[in-house]
Amino acid sequence: MPSHHSERGRAWPYVLLAVVLVLTGGGVAAYSLGHLDRWLCEGGTCESREADPASVPVTPAEPELAPVLAAPQSRPLDADRVQRAIAPLLGRKALGTHVGFAVSDLSSGEQVWSSGTGAFIPASTLKLFTSLAAMQTLGPEHRFRTTVLRDTTGEDQPSATDAAPTTGAPAPGPAKLVLVGGGDPYLTATSNAAARASYPQQASLAQLARQTAKALQADGVTEVSLGYDTSLFTGPAANPTWEPSYITSFVTSPVSALWVDQGRDGWRRTADPARQAAATFAKQLKARGLKVTGVASTGRPVESEELAAVSSGTVAQIAQSVIEHSDNQAAEVLLRHVAIAEKQPATFEGGAKAVRDVLTGLGVDWEGNRVYDGSGLSRDNRVTLASMLQVVSTASELFDRYPIAGFNGSLATRFTDSGTEAGLGVVRVKTGTLSGVHSYAGTTATRDGTPVGFVIFTDRVPDRRTLDARTMLDRIAARLSACSCAAAA
C-alpha cells in the first residue's frame, strides 16, 4: 500500500512536534487535547455523538506552515556529536552483549547514526508495527460492532398477497438468538461508572441485553435460546511461539472475536472467553425477564435480523491504549483486523503477513525481520534497528500516542534515577520488556531543539541486571535529550 503522506505532509508534523516538545516540556497539553472523549451516556447506555461544530476548531488536512512554526529553526542532527554523547553508554555491562541504537532527524526522516548489528527481539515495541498497520488499513475512526441476531432461517415469510399481520407475534417455541463477536478488544460486561469513564469508551453486554430484551418483549417473546458466533477470527487462539505458561499462568488470554473484559474471569483469565461472554449475556437476559433455555456455539445464522448492536471506541483510541499501556490482548485483536482488511486469514500468520505488506508499502525495509504476533510476546520475533526507526520516523499519526517520560502509561514511574532528569516530559517512547529483553522506540528533542526519533534494543541482559538495564535505557534517552547534537551553524 503506498503511503498517503507526501514529503510536505510528512515534514510538518515533525516541526510541530519540535515546537510542542520544546515550548511545553513534553507536549502534555497536546496529549490532553488530542483525546477528549466524545460520548454521551444516559441511563447507563453510551452512544457516540459528534461534537458541537461550534466548539471544535476546524483544522485543515494539509495545513500551511505559518512563520511562527519555523521560529526555533532547528538545525540538522550531527552524527559525530550524537556518537560522542551516546556511544560510551552503549558499552555498559548492564545492557548485556547485544545492544543496538539508532537515531534519525525527524525533520528529514533520515537515519543519522546507528550502533549494533543484526536483528533484535523487539518485545512490546512491536506494537508500533501493529498499531501503524491498523491505522493505515482500517482508518483512525473505524469501530468494531458486537451484535445480537435473531435467527430467521427457515421461518415462513409472508407473500405479497398475504394480509399484513396485525401484530409481530413470533413463531412457536423460543426465539433463536446469536451473539456475534465483532472483535471489540474492550467489550465489557457492564456499563458501570468505571467502564463509562474509561479510555477508550467501553461498549458493554449490558447495553446489548437492554436493547435485546426491549425488542423481544415488544414482540411478545419471553423465551429464547442463545448461540454465539466467533467466526470472524480463525486459527489458533494461542500463538505456538509463545511460552506455554503465558496462557496457563494468565499472562494473556486466548485470542477471540468475542470476549468480555479481555477474557478475565475475576482475577483469572478464562480458557474459553467466548463461552464466558455468552454465559454472561444469558444471565443479563434472564435478569431482564427472559427465559434462556440454552447456550451453545452455533456460528452465524444463514438468515437473520439484527436486534441489537454496540460499537467499540475508534481504532485511533484503541491504538492509543495499546501503545500507552502495552496492551497485549488488544494488540492481538488489532492484528487480526489488519489481516481481514488486507484479505489475509484472520490468524497470527495472516496478521503478520498483512502487517508486513502494509509497512513495506509505506517504504519500511523488511529485510531481516521475522514477525509472529502483534503484541511482541513471542521471543522468536526479530526486528532490525533500521525498520523500527523507519516506523518511528514516518508514523506521524503515532507521535502523540507514546507514553511521556515520568507522566503516563508505561513511563509513569520511569526517569527517576540520577542522570535521567533531562528526559522528563520530553522523551516519548514505546517500551518493550521480556526476560532479558529491554527496548525503547520513540521520539525526543535535543537540547538545541532538533526533533529526533530513536531506537534502543538490547536482548541479552542477565536477569540480575534487569533494573540496571532499565535505568540505563532511561539514561541513554536522557543523554540524547540533553545533547547539543545539532550541526554547527
Side-chain angles (χ1 to χ4, degrees):
M1 177 184 295
S3 174
H4 66 281
H5 298 296
S6 65
E7 291 301 315
R8 185 180 192 181
R10 286 171 52 185
W12 73 264
Y14 305 143
V15 179
L16 179 59
L17 173 68
V19 175
V20 172
L21 291 175
V22 173
L23 299 184
T24 70
V28 175
Y31 169 84
S32 301
L33 293 175
H35 305 288
L36 296 177
D37 222 347
R38 296 175 181 174
W39 290 74
L40 176 65
C41 296
E42 294 181 349
T45 299
C46 299
E47 298 176 349
S48 61
R49 68 172 183 180
E50 293 298 323
D52 181 358
S55 68
V56 180
V58 176
T59 303
E62 295 286 344
E64 295 293 333
L65 293 181
V68 68
L69 294 180
Q73 288 294 329
S74 64
R75 302 191 304 276
L77 203 60
D78 184 274
D80 290 338
R81 294 185 179 189
V82 173
Q83 182 176 1
R84 287 195 296 270
I86 301 301
L89 298 182
L90 300 179
R92 298 294 177 87
K93 290 182 179 179
L95 294 177
T97 60
H98 190 215
V99 183
F101 176 88
V103 62
S104 66
D105 186 329
L106 291 183
S107 298
S108 64
E110 297 299 322
Q111 178 174 304
V112 173
W113 181 74
S114 68
S115 174
T117 59
F120 296 78
I121 301 173
S124 285
T125 57
L126 189 70
K127 293 181 175 74
L128 296 182
F129 283 20
T130 308
S131 297
L132 177 58
M135 294 277 279
Q136 287 286 322
T137 58
L138 302 168
E141 297 304 313
H142 185 77
R143 300 174 187 268
F144 308 118
R145 299 176 77 245
T146 307
T147 58
V148 177
L149 304 181
R150 181 172 180 178
D151 188 350
T152 59
T153 306
E155 289 186 6
D156 293 334
Q157 301 296 323
S159 67
T161 57
D162 291 337
T166 58
T167 67
K176 298 178 181 178
L177 304 185
V178 179
L179 176 63
V180 180
D184 180 351
Y186 292 122
L187 182 69
T188 190
T190 62
S191 54
N192 56 26
R196 291 194 296 272
S198 67
Y199 185 92
Q201 188 83 38
Q202 293 177 330
S204 73
L205 286 182
Q207 295 167 311
L208 273 178
R210 280 193 292 272
Q211 295 177 35
T212 302
K214 182 178 180 180
L216 291 175
Q217 289 165 354
D219 208 22
V221 174
T222 59
E223 183 177 355
V224 300
S225 64
L226 180 62
Y228 59 93
D229 171 63
T230 63
S231 62
L232 184 65
F233 297 166
T234 58
N239 193 296
T241 68
W242 287 350
E243 299 288 336
S245 61
Y246 285 171
I247 299 295
T248 58
S249 61
F250 316 125
V251 170
T252 191
S253 298
V255 182
S256 175
L258 174 64
W259 64 21
V260 291
D261 303 318
Q262 296 194 325
R264 291 185 180 89
D265 183 8
W267 63 271
R268 304 185 307 167
R269 294 183 185 275
T270 181
D272 191 344
R275 183 166 184 82
Q276 179 212 15
T280 300
F281 188 62
K283 291 178 182 178
Q284 293 174 338
L285 292 178
K286 290 176 183 178
R288 287 164 176 77
L290 292 170
K291 181 179 179 180
V292 182
T293 59
V295 177
S297 176
T298 59
R300 194 180 184 96
V302 176
E303 298 177 2
S304 63
E305 61 174 334
E306 184 177 293
L307 293 182
V310 291
S311 294
S312 71
T314 66
V315 166
Q317 292 169 344
I318 293 168
Q320 167 80 46
S321 183
V322 166
I323 294 171
E324 183 177 330
H325 301 291
S326 205
D327 189 330
N328 296 317
Q329 290 70 228
E332 297 301 345
V333 169
L334 283 183
L335 183 77
R336 280 161 170 73
H337 284 298
V338 173
I340 294 169
E342 289 293 300
K343 303 188 186 317
Q344 293 281 354
T347 63
F348 287 106
E349 183 178 0
K353 289 179 179 178
V355 167
R356 178 201 62 195
D357 291 346
V358 173
L359 297 191
T360 55
L362 295 174
V364 175
D365 182 2
W366 204 256
E367 185 177 358
N369 289 349
R370 300 201 310 270
V371 172
Y372 295 94
D373 64 14
S375 62
L377 281 175
S378 174
R379 299 184 71 89
D380 288 352
N381 290 325
R382 293 293 184 275
V383 168
T384 64
L385 286 165
S387 63
M388 184 62 74
L389 188 64
Q390 285 172 328
V391 167
V392 168
S393 301
T394 60
S396 59
E397 53 267 77
L398 302 184
F399 279 177
D400 63 349
R401 306 188 191 282
Y402 296 121
I404 303 171
F407 175 65
N408 68 331
S410 58
L411 291 185
T413 60
R414 302 286 289 262
F415 292 79
T416 58
D417 292 277
S418 176
T420 66
E421 299 85 355
L424 286 170
V426 182
V427 171
R428 303 179 67 119
V429 296
K430 176 70 197 80
T431 59
T433 305
L434 292 171
S435 177
V437 179
H438 304 274
S439 55
Y440 269 178
T443 66
T444 190
T446 63
R447 183 177 180 179
D448 32 26
T450 302
V452 300
F454 71 100
V455 177
I456 312 171
F457 282 156
T458 177
D459 57 8
R460 297 175 192 167
V461 176
D463 289 345
R464 69 182 184 279
R465 294 190 178 275
T466 294
L467 296 180
D468 293 336
R470 285 163 54 93
T471 299
M472 190 54 61
L473 260 63
D474 295 350
R475 286 178 177 162
I476 292 170
R479 178 74 65 85
L480 184 62
S481 304
C483 181
S484 296
C485 287

